[in-house]
Amino acid sequence: QVKLVESGGELVQTGGSLRLSCAPSGRDFVIYSSNLMGWFRQAPGKEREFVAGITWRNNEKFYADFLKGRFTISRDAAKDTVYLLMNNLKPEDTAVYYCARKSDKYSYSDGSKYDSWGQGTQVTVSS
């Protein structure tokens, strides 16, 4: 049962930008004020890695060190939607991007701590 749905992934050239979106698949999925919503990615042949996270209550943001300011996470609580704005995309950003929900902000980079995931959206950056 898919609980989160990602969208916005596509083929883009190096240096381009994309905005990914993630929202619940139905009304029975709740994002609580204590939750943290995260973005992860998995490239072919590589392990899944944390990209960014945001707390639902306080809008506190966390980023992977390798991003160096290129990506921005945000959320619209009224729409129950979390976004990932990706700028200056590089071929190494090519991956399936997933969003997920976690009960709190602790251990935010540990994917095993998240309780709900989307099916992912493909981002391909051509050189």
Side-chain angles (χ1 to χ4, degrees), residues 29-62:
F29 185 87
V30 178
I31 302 176
Y32 298 97
S33 60
S34 60
N35 289 163
L36 177 142
M37 297 298 293
W39 284 99
F40 288 75
R41 70 184 186 184
Q42 187 166 21
K46 295 187 177 181
E47 293 187 353
R48 181 179 62 196
E49 62 182 355
F50 171 77
V51 175
I54 187 167
T55 61
W56 213 244
R57 177 186 291 126
N58 297 326
N59 205 28
E60 189 175 4
K61 302 175 183 181
F62 306 93

Side-chain angles (χ1 to χ4, degrees), residues 81-99:
T81 300
V82 60
Y83 304 98
L84 185 67
L85 175 63
M86 306 185 294
N87 293 320
N88 191 21
L89 283 162
K90 304 176 181 180
E92 51 264 41
D93 294 318
T94 295
V96 177
Y97 284 72
Y98 300 89
C99 72

Side-chain angles (χ1 to χ4, degrees), residues 5-13 17-21 39-45 71 84 86 89-99 118-126:
V5 179
E6 303 93 338
S7 61
E10 62 182 69
L11 173 65
V12 64
Q13 291 185 338
S17 298
L18 283 177
R19 190 180 77 159
L20 307 183
S21 301
W39 284 99
F40 288 75
R41 70 184 186 184
Q42 187 166 21
F71 293 6
L84 185 67
M86 306 185 294
L89 283 162
K90 304 176 181 180
E92 51 264 41
D93 294 318
T94 295
V96 177
Y97 284 72
Y98 300 89
C99 72
Q119 290 188 319
T121 185
Q122 176 71 49
V123 172
T124 303
V125 184
S126 63

